[in-house]
Amino acid sequence: MTESALTILAGKTAFLRLKENGWQPQLFDTLMGASGGAKLLGLSHLDRFLFGDFLQRSDHPMELYGSSIGSWRHAALAAPDAAKAIATLQERYLNQAWDENDTRDPSQVIDELCHWVLDGICDEETVAHLSDHPRFVSHIVTARGLGLNGGPRSASLGLGLGLSAIGNLASRRLLALGFQRVVFSSGGSVSFRFEDFSNLHVALTPEAVKPALLASGSIPFLMPGQINVPGGPLGHYWDGGVIDYHFDFVNHQGEGLVLYPHFTDKVIKGWFDKKIPWRVNASSRLDKVVILAPSRSYLATLPYGKIPDRNDFARLSSKERINYWTQAMAMSEALADELMKTINSSDPTQNVVALS
């Protein structure tokens, strides 16, 4: 029997509800989007199926929680034409190009490219739709720098990040000394009630949409960050993944299920937790979560044995990178096909692994 390209993991409650009700989109009241940059291309056709088909089979309300590229993907879902918007976002991300002789600081070049990518989906109509969507409530997660992390200066920022990493190693709660979670929301936050940090929810106005999205994806050192996002407290804003890389599900309090199209089968809490094994969400925290991720056997078939990531910008030429990313996007049709087969199966949990 051929191994599935798609790994589907479900918490105990999620597994039982799928078994009893089948794959009904209205079971899911929350959609999660992790940080990951170029990894969005590895889920290319899976996102296109979810955003353009499966989630359009219902008009029930949903909350969209995203950090970094997760928030960008969700902005596409909240566009007037979600299928067109997610394809545009993917194509622009794929086709980023720059003059190799550009003498500007690399962070300026990257910042300009990010503006160009988002311009593909942040037209006036989409921005207005996203900030006042009749169905999707968007939550764009950012990290406002505090103290030494409150500016782009390399020396002080480097020291601030180093201290944050050390404090986080001792206790994740100490990360709150260096960063504040600021969430730009188009409505109330019900599914997630953030209680683990100093948190602030800010109304997502049309003027704040693009700056908040840029802030949510602003990796320290790689990008200059965003200053004074409209509606939020004054300060310097960084990538939401610093605090919520894959999110800490201790904060999940929703009644419905969480749909999580993800880059991996692990749900790591924060960016500084990537190499801390015990900072992976325990199965008990994922009780109502359904994770969709490329299987390890599928990854082995991809060029370089992995989905695209931002390190490809440095290790590959532009031509090599675009060829590789294009191939990975095309191959991701297998992920969408596997999910469609599962959804249409007489046994809705035949390809689903229950988290113990």
Side-chain angles (χ1 to χ4, degrees):
M1 182 177 177
T2 304
E3 279 194 70
S4 174
L6 185 68
T7 293
I8 306 176
L9 305 174
K12 183 178 179 181
T13 295
F15 187 90
L16 292 174
R17 290 188 190 176
L18 286 176
K19 194 169 188 66
E20 292 171 1
N21 302 287
W23 285 81
Q24 301 298 322
Q26 54 267 34
L27 289 176
F28 302 96
D29 67 4
T30 306
L31 184 72
M32 301 303 296
S35 299
K39 293 175 184 175
L40 91 154
L41 302 180
L43 304 185
S44 178
H45 284 276
L46 182 62
D47 274 356
R48 293 187 192 193
F49 169 66
L50 289 171
F51 294 5
D53 185 342
F54 181 68
L55 294 177
Q56 305 300 333
R57 299 177 187 181
S58 170
D59 58 3
H60 74 289
M62 289 189 72
E63 293 193 61
L64 316 180
Y65 293 87
S67 63
S68 194
I69 201 65
S71 68
W72 295 22
R73 291 161 60 213
H74 291 174
L77 174 58
D81 186 340
K84 179 181 178 181
I86 189 61
T88 298
L89 176 64
Q90 293 166 358
E91 290 298 324
R92 286 218 170 193
Y93 200 101
L94 167 71
N95 289 300
Q96 293 177 77
W98 58 93
D99 181 358
E100 293 184 0
N101 297 315
D102 197 320
T103 58
R104 290 178 296 168
D105 186 274
S107 67
Q108 292 178 290
V109 177
I110 295 169
D111 189 53
E112 184 177 275
L113 287 169
C114 288
H115 275 270
W116 176 75
V117 172
L118 279 177
D119 282 343
I121 60 170
C122 282
D123 58 86
E124 186 175 341
E125 182 183 13
T126 297
V127 164
H129 203 65
L130 188 152
S131 59
D132 189 28
H133 200 284
R135 177 185 174 198
F136 296 124
V137 178
S138 294
H139 301 288
I140 302 172
V141 179
T142 71
R144 187 171 75 100
L146 303 176
L148 294 171
N149 297 321
R153 295 180 298 277
S154 58
S156 57
L157 180 60
L159 179 58
L161 290 173
L163 292 172
S164 294
I166 293 169
N168 178 77
L169 182 62
S171 170
R172 182 166 151 79
R173 287 189 176 276
L174 292 179
L175 192 58
L177 297 175
F179 295 95
Q180 178 190 29
R181 181 192 282 123
V182 180
V183 186
F184 291 84
S185 300
S186 63
S189 180
V190 177
S191 181
F192 269 72
R193 296 173 190 167
F194 295 110
E195 298 175 348
D196 55 342
F197 280 86
S198 169
N199 307 294
L200 181 65
H201 280 271
V202 177
L204 181 63
T205 63
E207 295 75 23
V209 169
K210 188 178 177 184
L213 289 170
L214 286 167
S216 188
S218 290
I219 301 170
F221 288 118
L222 194 64
M223 295 174 65
Q226 291 290 301
I227 302 173
N228 303 338
V229 178
L234 300 180
H236 214 100
Y237 290 76
W238 297 109
D239 196 307
V242 171
I243 298 174
D244 296 295
Y245 187 56
H246 298 165
F247 289 87
D248 186 346
F249 278 79
V250 70
N251 296 302
H252 179 241
Q253 299 182 40
E255 294 300 319
L257 301 187
V258 177
L259 185 60
Y260 202 160
H262 197 17
F263 313 121
T264 173
D265 54 10
K266 294 181 179 179
V267 182
I268 301 165
K269 296 178 181 180
W271 189 81
F272 290 110
D273 299 326
K274 290 192 289 184
K275 295 184 179 180
I276 306 178
W278 57 90
R279 293 285 172 78
V280 174
N281 280 269
S283 297
S284 59
R285 296 291 185 195
L286 304 173
D287 180 55
K288 296 177 182 175
V289 181
V290 177
I291 298 170
L292 311 174
S295 69
R296 295 179 187 185
S297 60
Y298 167 78
L299 292 175
T301 68
L302 293 175
Y304 307 103
K306 66 176 191 63
I307 61 175
D309 62 59
R310 65 182 177 85
N311 292 322
D312 297 330
F313 284 112
R315 62 185 164 217
L316 299 173
S317 69
S318 291
K319 183 178 180 180
E320 290 171 331
R321 172 181 59 82
I322 291 175
N323 286 341
Y324 158 40
W325 285 6
T326 300
Q327 187 175 352
M329 289 175 66
M331 292 176 70
S332 73
E333 283 194 51
L335 305 177
D337 289 344
E338 290 290 350
L339 181 57
M340 283 187 275
K341 289 177 184 177
T342 299
I343 289 172
N344 295 325
S345 172
S346 58
D347 178 3
T349 57
Q350 69 170 358
N351 295 320
V352 181
V353 176
L355 291 168
S356 58

Coordinates of all heavy atoms in Angstrom, one line a residue, residues 171-244:
S171 N 12.1 30.1 31.2 CA 10.7 30.1 31.3 C 10.1 30.9 30.2 O 10.5 32.0 29.9 CB 10.2 30.7 32.6 OG 8.8 30.9 32.6
R172 N 9.2 30.3 29.5 CA 8.6 31.0 28.3 C 7.9 32.3 28.8 O 7.9 33.2 28.0 CB 7.5 30.0 27.7 CG 6.9 30.6 26.4 CD 6.1 29.6 25.6 NE 5.0 30.1 24.9 CZ 5.1 30.8 23.8 NH1 6.2 31.0 23.2 NH2 4.0 31.2 23.2
R173 N 7.4 32.4 30.0 CA 6.8 33.6 30.5 C 7.8 34.8 30.5 O 7.4 35.9 30.4 CB 6.2 33.3 31.8 CG 4.9 32.5 31.8 CD 4.2 32.4 33.2 NE 3.0 31.7 33.1 CZ 1.8 32.2 32.7 NH1 1.8 33.5 32.4 NH2 0.8 31.5 32.7
L174 N 9.1 34.5 30.6 CA 10.1 35.5 30.7 C 10.2 36.2 29.3 O 10.8 37.3 29.3 CB 11.4 35.0 31.2 CG 11.5 34.5 32.6 CD1 12.9 34.0 32.9 CD2 11.1 35.7 33.6
L175 N 9.7 35.6 28.3 CA 9.7 36.3 27.0 C 8.9 37.6 27.0 O 9.2 38.5 26.2 CB 9.2 35.3 25.9 CG 9.4 35.6 24.4 CD1 10.9 35.8 24.1 CD2 8.8 34.6 23.5
A176 N 8.0 37.6 27.9 CA 7.1 38.8 28.0 C 7.9 40.1 28.4 O 7.5 41.2 28.3 CB 6.0 38.6 29.0
L177 N 9.2 39.9 28.9 CA 10.0 41.0 29.3 C 10.6 41.7 28.1 O 10.9 42.9 28.1 CB 11.2 40.6 30.2 CG 10.8 39.9 31.6 CD1 12.0 39.4 32.3 CD2 10.1 41.0 32.4
G178 N 10.6 41.0 27.0 CA 11.2 41.5 25.7 C 10.2 41.8 24.6 O 10.5 42.5 23.7
F179 N 9.0 41.2 24.7 CA 8.0 41.4 23.7 C 6.6 41.4 24.2 O 6.3 40.7 25.2 CB 8.1 40.2 22.7 CG 9.4 40.2 21.9 CD1 10.5 39.4 22.3 CD2 9.6 41.0 20.8 CE1 11.7 39.4 21.6 CE2 10.8 40.9 20.1 CZ 11.8 40.1 20.5
Q180 N 5.7 42.2 23.6 CA 4.3 42.2 23.9 C 3.5 41.7 22.7 O 3.8 42.1 21.6 CB 3.8 43.6 24.3 CG 2.3 43.7 24.6 CD 1.8 45.1 24.7 OE1 2.4 46.0 24.0 NE2 0.8 45.3 25.5
R181 N 2.6 40.8 23.0 CA 1.8 40.3 21.9 C 0.7 41.3 21.6 O -0.1 41.7 22.5 CB 1.1 39.0 22.3 CG 0.2 38.4 21.2 CD -0.6 37.2 21.7 NE 0.1 36.0 21.8 CZ 0.2 35.3 22.9 NH1 -0.4 35.8 24.1 NH2 0.8 34.1 23.0
V182 N 0.7 41.8 20.4 CA -0.3 42.8 19.9 C -1.1 42.1 18.8 O -0.4 41.8 17.7 CB 0.2 44.1 19.5 CG1 -0.9 45.1 19.1 CG2 1.0 44.8 20.7
V183 N -2.4 41.9 18.9 CA -3.2 41.2 17.9 C -4.1 42.2 17.3 O -4.9 42.9 17.9 CB -4.0 40.1 18.5 CG1 -4.7 39.3 17.4 CG2 -3.1 39.2 19.3
F184 N -4.0 42.4 15.9 CA -4.9 43.3 15.2 C -6.1 42.5 14.7 O -5.9 41.5 13.9 CB -4.1 43.9 14.0 CG -3.1 44.9 14.5 CD1 -1.8 44.5 14.9 CD2 -3.4 46.3 14.6 CE1 -0.8 45.3 15.3 CE2 -2.4 47.2 15.1 CZ -1.2 46.7 15.4
S185 N -7.2 42.8 15.3 CA -8.4 41.9 15.1 C -9.6 42.7 14.5 O -9.9 43.8 14.9 CB -8.9 41.3 16.5 OG -7.8 40.6 17.1
S186 N -10.2 42.0 13.5 CA -11.4 42.6 12.9 C -12.7 42.3 13.6 O -13.8 42.7 13.2 CB -11.5 42.1 11.4 OG -11.8 40.7 11.4
G187 N -12.6 41.6 14.8 CA -13.7 41.3 15.6 C -13.3 40.7 16.9 O -12.1 40.6 17.2
G188 N -14.2 40.2 17.7 CA -13.9 39.7 19.0 C -13.1 38.4 18.9 O -13.3 37.6 17.9
S189 N -12.2 38.1 19.9 CA -11.5 36.9 20.0 C -12.1 35.9 21.0 O -12.1 36.2 22.2 CB -10.0 37.2 20.4 OG -9.3 36.0 20.5
V190 N -12.7 34.9 20.5 CA -13.4 33.9 21.3 C -12.7 32.6 21.4 O -12.5 32.0 22.5 CB -14.9 33.7 20.7 CG1 -15.6 32.6 21.6 CG2 -15.7 35.0 20.7
S191 N -12.3 32.1 20.2 CA -11.6 30.8 20.2 C -10.3 30.8 21.0 O -10.0 29.8 21.7 CB -11.4 30.4 18.7 OG -10.8 29.1 18.7
F192 N -9.5 31.8 20.8 CA -8.3 31.9 21.6 C -8.4 33.1 22.6 O -8.7 34.2 22.2 CB -7.1 32.2 20.7 CG -6.4 30.9 20.2 CD1 -7.0 30.1 19.3 CD2 -5.2 30.5 20.7 CE1 -6.4 28.9 18.9 CE2 -4.5 29.4 20.3 CZ -5.2 28.5 19.4
R193 N -8.2 32.8 23.8 CA -8.1 33.8 24.9 C -6.7 33.8 25.4 O -6.4 33.1 26.3 CB -9.2 33.5 25.9 CG -10.6 33.6 25.4 CD -11.6 33.1 26.4 NE -12.9 32.9 25.8 CZ -14.0 32.3 26.3 NH1 -13.8 31.8 27.5 NH2 -15.1 32.2 25.7
F194 N -5.9 34.7 24.9 CA -4.5 34.8 25.2 C -4.3 35.2 26.7 O -4.7 36.3 27.0 CB -3.7 35.7 24.3 CG -3.7 35.2 22.9 CD1 -4.5 35.9 21.9 CD2 -3.0 34.1 22.5 CE1 -4.4 35.4 20.6 CE2 -3.0 33.6 21.2 CZ -3.7 34.3 20.2
E195 N -3.7 34.4 27.5 CA -3.5 34.7 28.9 C -2.1 34.4 29.4 O -1.8 34.6 30.5 CB -4.5 33.8 29.7 CG -6.0 34.0 29.5 CD -6.9 33.1 30.2 OE1 -6.4 32.1 30.8 OE2 -8.1 33.3 30.2
D196 N -1.2 34.1 28.4 CA 0.1 33.8 28.8 C 1.1 34.9 28.7 O 2.3 34.8 29.0 CB 0.6 32.6 28.0 CG 0.5 32.8 26.5 OD1 -0.2 33.7 26.1 OD2 1.2 32.1 25.7
F197 N 0.7 36.1 28.2 CA 1.6 37.2 28.0 C 0.8 38.5 28.3 O -0.4 38.5 28.5 CB 2.1 37.3 26.6 CG 3.3 36.3 26.3 CD1 3.1 35.0 25.9 CD2 4.6 36.8 26.5 CE1 4.1 34.1 25.7 CE2 5.6 35.9 26.2 CZ 5.4 34.6 25.9
S198 N 1.5 39.6 28.2 CA 0.9 40.9 28.2 C 0.3 41.1 26.8 O 1.1 41.2 25.9 CB 1.9 42.0 28.5 OG 1.4 43.3 28.3
N199 N -1.0 41.0 26.7 CA -1.6 41.0 25.4 C -2.5 42.2 25.1 O -3.0 42.8 26.1 CB -2.5 39.8 25.2 CG -1.7 38.5 25.5 OD1 -0.8 38.1 24.8 ND2 -2.1 37.8 26.6
L200 N -2.6 42.6 23.9 CA -3.4 43.7 23.5 C -4.1 43.4 22.2 O -3.4 43.1 21.2 CB -2.6 45.0 23.4 CG -3.4 46.3 23.1 CD1 -4.4 46.6 24.2 CD2 -2.4 47.4 22.8
H201 N -5.4 43.5 22.2 CA -6.2 43.4 20.9 C -6.5 44.8 20.4 O -7.0 45.6 21.2 CB -7.5 42.6 21.1 CG -7.2 41.1 21.2 ND1 -7.3 40.3 20.0 CD2 -7.0 40.3 22.2 CE1 -7.1 39.1 20.4 NE2 -6.9 39.0 21.7
V202 N -6.2 45.0 19.2 CA -6.4 46.3 18.5 C -7.3 46.1 17.3 O -7.2 45.2 16.6 CB -5.0 46.9 18.1 CG1 -5.2 48.2 17.3 CG2 -4.1 47.1 19.2
A203 N -8.2 47.1 17.2 CA -9.2 47.0 16.0 C -8.4 47.1 14.7 O -7.6 48.0 14.5 CB -10.2 48.2 16.1
L204 N -8.7 46.2 13.8 CA -8.1 46.1 12.5 C -8.8 47.0 11.5 O -9.8 46.6 10.9 CB -8.0 44.7 12.0 CG -7.3 44.4 10.7 CD1 -5.9 44.8 10.8 CD2 -7.5 43.0 10.2
T205 N -8.4 48.2 11.4 CA -8.9 49.2 10.4 C -8.3 48.9 9.1 O -7.2 48.3 9.0 CB -8.7 50.6 10.9 OG1 -7.2 50.8 10.9 CG2 -9.3 50.9 12.3
P206 N -8.9 49.5 8.0 CA -8.3 49.3 6.7 C -6.9 49.9 6.6 O -6.0 49.4 6.0 CB -9.3 50.1 5.8 CG -10.6 50.0 6.4 CD -10.3 50.0 7.9
E207 N -6.7 51.0 7.4 CA -5.3 51.6 7.4 C -4.3 50.8 8.0 O -3.1 50.9 7.7 CB -5.4 53.0 8.1 CG -6.3 54.0 7.4 CD -7.8 53.8 7.6 OE1 -8.1 53.1 8.6 OE2 -8.6 54.3 6.8
A208 N -4.7 49.9 8.9 CA -3.8 49.0 9.6 C -3.5 47.7 9.0 O -2.5 47.0 9.3 CB -4.3 48.7 11.0
V209 N -4.3 47.3 8.0 CA -4.2 45.9 7.4 C -2.8 45.7 6.9 O -2.1 44.7 7.3 CB -5.2 45.7 6.3 CG1 -4.9 44.4 5.5 CG2 -6.6 45.6 6.9
K210 N -2.3 46.5 5.9 CA -1.0 46.2 5.3 C 0.1 46.4 6.3 O 1.0 45.5 6.4 CB -0.8 47.0 4.1 CG 0.5 46.6 3.3 CD 0.7 47.4 2.0 CE 2.0 47.0 1.4 NZ 2.3 47.8 0.2
P211 N 0.2 47.4 7.1 CA 1.3 47.6 8.1 C 1.3 46.4 9.1 O 2.3 45.9 9.5 CB 0.9 48.9 8.8 CG 0.2 49.7 7.8 CD -0.6 48.7 7.0
A212 N 0.1 46.0 9.5 CA 0.0 44.9 10.5 C 0.5 43.6 9.8 O 1.2 42.8 10.5 CB -1.4 44.7 11.0
L213 N 0.2 43.3 8.6 CA 0.7 42.1 7.9 C 2.2 42.2 7.7 O 2.9 41.2 7.9 CB 0.0 42.0 6.5 CG -1.5 41.6 6.6 CD1 -2.1 41.8 5.1 CD2 -1.7 40.2 7.1
L214 N 2.7 43.4 7.4 CA 4.2 43.5 7.2 C 4.8 43.3 8.6 O 5.9 42.6 8.7 CB 4.5 44.9 6.7 CG 4.2 45.1 5.2 CD1 4.3 46.6 4.8 CD2 5.2 44.3 4.3
A215 N 4.3 43.9 9.6 CA 4.8 43.7 11.0 C 4.8 42.2 11.4 O 5.8 41.7 11.9 CB 4.0 44.5 12.0
S216 N 3.8 41.5 11.1 CA 3.6 40.1 11.5 C 4.7 39.3 10.8 O 5.0 38.2 11.3 CB 2.2 39.6 11.2 OG 2.0 38.3 11.7
G217 N 5.2 39.7 9.7 CA 6.2 38.9 9.0 C 7.6 39.5 9.0 O 8.5 39.1 8.3
S218 N 7.8 40.5 9.9 CA 9.1 41.2 10.0 C 10.1 40.5 10.9 O 10.2 40.7 12.1 CB 9.0 42.6 10.5 OG 8.3 43.4 9.5
I219 N 10.9 39.6 10.3 CA 11.9 38.8 11.0 C 13.1 39.8 11.5 O 13.7 40.5 10.6 CB 12.5 37.7 10.2 CG1 11.4 36.8 9.7 CG2 13.6 36.9 10.9 CD1 11.9 35.8 8.7
P220 N 13.4 39.8 12.8 CA 14.5 40.7 13.2 C 15.8 40.5 12.5 O 16.1 39.3 12.2 CB 14.6 40.4 14.7 CG 13.2 39.9 15.1 CD 12.7 39.1 13.9
F221 N 16.5 41.6 12.2 CA 17.7 41.6 11.4 C 17.5 41.4 10.0 O 18.1 42.1 9.1 CB 18.7 40.5 11.9 CG 19.4 40.9 13.3 CD1 19.2 40.0 14.4 CD2 20.1 42.0 13.4 CE1 19.7 40.4 15.6 CE2 20.7 42.3 14.6 CZ 20.5 41.5 15.7
L222 N 16.7 40.5 9.6 CA 16.4 40.2 8.2 C 15.6 41.4 7.6 O 15.8 41.7 6.4 CB 15.7 38.9 8.0 CG 15.6 38.3 6.5 CD1 17.0 38.0 6.1 CD2 14.7 37.1 6.5
M223 N 14.7 42.0 8.4 CA 13.8 43.1 7.9 C 13.9 44.2 9.0 O 14.3 43.9 10.1 CB 12.4 42.6 7.7 CG 12.2 41.6 6.6 SD 10.6 40.9 6.5 CE 9.6 42.4 6.1
P224 N 13.5 45.4 8.6 CA 13.6 46.5 9.5 C 12.5 46.6 10.5 O 12.5 47.4 11.4 CB 13.6 47.8 8.6 CG 12.9 47.3 7.4 CD 13.2 45.9 7.2
G225 N 11.4 45.8 10.4 CA 10.3 45.9 11.2 C 9.4 47.0 10.9 O 9.6 47.8 9.9
Q226 N 8.3 47.2 11.6 CA 7.3 48.2 11.4 C 7.2 49.1 12.6 O 7.2 48.6 13.7 CB 5.9 47.6 11.0 CG 5.9 46.9 9.7 CD 6.0 47.9 8.5 OE1 5.2 48.8 8.4 NE2 7.0 47.6 7.7
I227 N 7.1 50.4 12.4 CA 7.0 51.4 13.5 C 5.6 51.9 13.6 O 5.0 52.4 12.5 CB 8.0 52.5 13.3 CG1 9.5 52.0 13.1 CG2 8.0 53.5 14.4 CD1 10.5 53.0 12.8
N228 N 5.1 51.9 14.8 CA 3.8 52.6 15.0 C 2.7 52.1 14.1 O 2.1 52.9 13.3 CB 3.9 54.1 15.0 CG 5.0 54.6 16.0 OD1 5.3 53.9 16.9 ND2 5.5 55.8 15.7
V229 N 2.3 50.9 14.1 CA 1.2 50.3 13.3 C -0.1 51.1 13.7 O -0.4 51.2 14.9 CB 1.1 48.8 13.5 CG1 -0.1 48.3 12.6 CG2 2.4 48.1 13.1
P230 N -0.8 51.6 12.7 CA -2.0 52.3 13.0 C -3.0 51.6 14.0 O -3.3 50.5 13.8 CB -2.7 52.5 11.7 CG -1.6 52.5 10.7 CD -0.6 51.5 11.3
G231 N -3.3 52.3 15.1 CA -4.3 51.8 16.1 C -3.6 51.2 17.2 O -4.2 51.0 18.3
G232 N -2.4 50.7 17.1 CA -1.6 50.0 18.1 C -0.8 51.0 18.9 O -0.7 52.2 18.6
P233 N -0.3 50.5 20.1 CA 0.6 51.4 20.9 C 1.9 51.8 20.1 O 2.3 51.0 19.2 CB 0.9 50.6 22.1 CG 0.7 49.1 21.6 CD -0.4 49.2 20.6
L234 N 2.4 52.9 20.4 CA 3.7 53.3 19.7 C 4.8 52.3 20.0 O 4.8 51.7 21.1 CB 4.1 54.7 20.3 CG 3.1 55.9 20.0 CD1 3.7 57.2 20.6 CD2 2.8 56.0 18.6
G235 N 5.6 52.1 19.0 CA 6.7 51.2 19.2 C 7.1 50.5 17.9 O 6.6 50.8 16.8
H236 N 8.0 49.5 18.1 CA 8.6 48.8 16.9 C 8.0 47.4 17.0 O 8.1 46.7 18.0 CB 10.1 48.7 17.1 CG 10.8 48.8 15.8 ND1 11.4 49.9 15.2 CD2 11.0 47.8 14.8 CE1 12.0 49.6 14.0 NE2 11.7 48.4 13.8
Y237 N 7.4 47.0 15.8 CA 6.7 45.7 15.7 C 7.5 44.7 14.9 O 8.1 45.0 13.9 CB 5.4 45.9 15.1 CG 4.4 46.7 15.9 CD1 4.5 48.0 16.1 CD2 3.3 46.0 16.6 CE1 3.6 48.7 16.9 CE2 2.4 46.7 17.4 CZ 2.5 48.0 17.5 OH 1.6 48.7 18.3
W238 N 7.5 43.5 15.4 CA 8.3 42.4 14.8 C 7.4 41.2 14.5 O 6.2 41.2 14.8 CB 9.4 41.9 15.7 CG 10.5 43.0 16.0 CD1 10.7 43.6 17.2 CD2 11.4 43.5 15.1 NE1 11.7 44.5 17.1 CE2 12.2 44.5 15.8 CE3 11.7 43.3 13.7 CZ2 13.2 45.2 15.2 CZ3 12.8 44.0 13.2 CH2 13.5 44.9 13.9
D239 N 8.0 40.2 13.9 CA 7.3 39.0 13.5 C 6.5 38.4 14.6 O 7.1 38.1 15.7 CB 8.4 38.0 13.0 CG 7.8 36.8 12.2 OD1 6.9 36.2 12.7 OD2 8.3 36.6 11.1
G240 N 5.3 38.1 14.4 CA 4.4 37.5 15.4 C 4.9 36.1 15.8 O 4.6 35.6 16.9
G241 N 5.7 35.5 15.0 CA 6.2 34.1 15.3 C 7.2 34.1 16.4 O 7.5 33.1 17.0
V242 N 7.8 35.3 16.8 CA 8.7 35.4 17.9 C 8.0 34.8 19.2 O 8.6 34.0 19.9 CB 9.1 36.8 18.2 CG1 9.9 36.9 19.5 CG2 10.0 37.3 17.0
I243 N 6.7 35.2 19.3 CA 5.9 34.6 20.5 C 5.1 33.4 20.0 O 5.1 32.4 20.7 CB 5.0 35.7 21.0 CG1 5.8 36.9 21.6 CG2 4.1 35.1 22.1 CD1 4.9 38.1 22.0
D244 N 4.5 33.5 18.8 CA 3.6 32.5 18.4 C 4.0 31.9 17.1 O 3.5 32.1 16.0 CB 2.2 33.1 18.2 CG 1.6 33.6 19.5 OD1 1.4 32.7 20.4 OD2 1.4 34.8 19.7

